[in-house]
């Protein structure tokens, strides 16, 4: 499954070089470290979007395992935080400028299997969606 990381890495550098900005969606785990800042409670649930541009990172290194080690700037003051991003926590690479997004389906599929609670929420959503369906049979005009 590490081939996905190579594609993400290649796309990452292509987008950074061509458009000057690239985004990573990273899920929370104990293995990913975002400096002293860490993850907020909301980011632990929803994930974190990291923005890389030419001015806000230093010493960017992808390891052979696909992990990222870098110093990344956060906030308006571009406060440097030493980061270690575990490869299996990288969910997506995207660029709104290039209108491209590459998702890791292997990770997303694993999350669906792990989250049994998510199944019940999905089923509830399906039921609510079904309740909103209006049958058009009543409104169709009869051709004579």
């Amino acid at each position: 499954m590490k081939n996905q990381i190579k594609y993400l890495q290649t796309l990452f550098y292509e987008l950074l070089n061509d458009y000057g900005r690239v985004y990573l969606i990273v899920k929370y785990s104990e293995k990913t470290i975002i400096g002293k800042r860490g993850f907020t409670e909301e980011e632990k649930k929803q994930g974190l979007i990291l923005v890389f541009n030419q001015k806000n990172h230093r010493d960017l290194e992808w390891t052979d395992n696909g992990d990222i080690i870098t110093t990344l700037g956060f906030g308006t003051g571009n406060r440097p935080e030493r980061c270690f991003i575990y490869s299996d926590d990288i969910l997506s690479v995207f660029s709104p400028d290039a209108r491209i997004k590459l998702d890791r389906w292997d990770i997303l599929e694993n999350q669906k299997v792990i989250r049994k609670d998510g199944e019940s929420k999905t089923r509830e959503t399906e039921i609510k969606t079904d309740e909103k369906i209006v049958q058009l049979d009543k409104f169709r005009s009869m051709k004579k």
Side-chain angles (χ1 to χ4, degrees):
M1 292 297 174
K2 295 298 177 187
N3 280 340
Q4 289 90 341
I5 294 297
K6 290 180 183 178
Y7 289 120
L8 289 173
Q9 182 180 6
T10 301
L11 181 61
F12 178 90
Y13 283 115
E14 291 290 330
L15 292 171
L16 187 61
N17 291 333
D18 291 348
Y19 293 93
R21 180 172 57 167
V22 65
Y23 297 78
L24 284 182
I25 298 177
V26 178
K27 72 175 183 164
Y28 169 76
S29 81
E30 297 291 325
K31 296 179 181 178
T32 294
I33 301 167
I34 307 295
K36 293 179 183 177
R37 173 195 182 279
F39 285 82
T40 65
E41 289 304 314
E42 184 178 337
E43 291 167 349
K44 286 180 181 179
K45 295 175 188 172
Q46 308 225 347
L48 176 64
I49 299 175
L50 298 175
V51 181
F52 289 81
N53 61 39
Q54 301 298 343
K55 297 179 182 178
N56 76 337
H57 73 276
R58 290 191 315 259
D59 307 323
L60 179 64
E61 175 190 344
W62 289 70
T63 67
D64 292 337
N65 295 334
D67 306 325
I68 299 174
I69 302 169
T70 188
T71 301
L72 190 59
F74 287 88
T76 55
N78 220 10
R79 186 182 71 250
E81 298 279 354
R82 193 73 182 144
C83 301
F84 174 83
I85 303 165
Y86 181 61
S87 63
D88 286 345
D89 293 340
I90 301 170
L91 298 178
S92 183
V93 172
F94 71 97
S95 169
D97 302 325
R99 304 178 90 186
I100 292 174
K101 181 178 181 185
L102 182 62
D103 291 326
R104 297 227 2 233
W105 288 10
D106 61 322
I107 300 297
L108 296 174
E109 287 173 0
N110 287 341
Q111 283 182 337
K112 288 180 185 176
V113 171
I114 292 170
R115 292 184 186 176
K116 292 181 181 177
D117 294 340
E119 287 180 5
S120 61
K121 289 179 185 177
T122 304
R123 288 183 187 151
E124 288 174 14
T125 305
E126 288 174 5
I127 292 169
K128 289 179 184 178
T129 305
D130 290 342
E131 291 173 358
K132 295 178 183 179
I133 295 175
V134 176
Q135 297 295 329
L136 296 178
D137 294 338
K138 298 176 187 176
F139 300 104
R140 289 190 180 142
S141 61
M142 303 290 273
K143 290 186 179 181
K144 294 184 182 180

